[in-house]
């Protein structure tokens, strides 16, 4: 199972990040919710982007490119094996920074990857 940090986590059940958190847990993946909203999703609290988690396999991105620059250090220090840029979060600048650190990047939808057993 792939420990996954959901960046842009929200307690709003109509948002894709919320759906992804629940689907990841349903598929047996451990999650860390990180965002600016307070609350919890899929039984896990939403943390602020402060504590660096060093055992993350995947960051699944639900933050738009315009709001990502303040998170670059946090993301790169987390040093995941890969970053999934969900639709609407694509960012060539961050992709290049990540790839230069040996982090794989993928423009994909976490929900689709889980549904097709390609996660």
């Amino acid at each position: 199972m792939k420990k996954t940090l959901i960046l842009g986590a929200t307690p709003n059940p109509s948002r894709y990040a919320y759906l992804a958190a629940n689907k990841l847990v349903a598929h047996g993946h451990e999650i860390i919710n990180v965002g600016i909203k307070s609350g919890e999703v899929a039984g896990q609290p939403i943390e602020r982007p402060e504590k660096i988690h060093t055992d993350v396999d995947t960051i699944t991105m639900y933050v738009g490119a315009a709001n990502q620059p303040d998170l670059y250090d946090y993301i790169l220090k987390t040093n995941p094996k890969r970053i999934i840029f969900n639709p609407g979060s694509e960012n060539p600048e961050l992709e290049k920074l990540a790839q230069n650190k040996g982090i794989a990047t993928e423009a994909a939808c976490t929900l689709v990857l889980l549904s097709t057993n390609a996660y």
Side-chain angles (χ1 to χ4, degrees):
M1 295 293 105
K2 296 176 177 148
K3 189 170 192 178
T4 303
L5 189 148
I6 301 161
L7 196 52
T10 174
N12 182 340
S14 68
R15 306 294 294 186
Y16 288 113
Y18 180 94
L19 299 173
N22 284 289
K23 196 161 197 163
L24 282 160
V25 169
H27 279 80
H29 298 282
E30 184 179 347
I31 64 168
I32 302 164
N33 292 313
V34 176
I36 58 171
K37 306 282 184 183
S38 60
E40 71 172 45
V41 184
Q44 296 298 317
I46 299 174
E47 303 176 6
R48 304 287 288 168
E50 296 164 352
K51 178 183 177 188
I52 303 296
H53 297 270
T54 57
D55 58 346
V56 171
D57 179 87
T58 301
I59 291 179
T60 185
M61 181 73 68
Y62 290 97
V63 175
N67 295 316
Q68 291 174 15
D70 289 341
L71 297 168
Y72 286 0
D73 284 343
Y74 177 79
I75 293 165
L76 297 173
K77 286 178 183 174
T78 299
N79 198 31
K81 291 181 182 162
R82 72 174 169 166
I83 300 171
I84 297 172
F85 290 91
N86 288 278
S89 70
E90 299 90 345
N91 181 343
E93 180 180 47
L94 179 54
E95 284 185 60
K96 184 172 181 160
L97 290 169
Q99 290 167 355
N100 287 343
K101 274 200 74 174
I103 301 168
T105 62
E106 186 174 355
C109 175
T110 297
L111 293 169
V112 171
L113 293 173
L114 290 164
S115 294
T116 60
N117 292 319
Y119 190 79

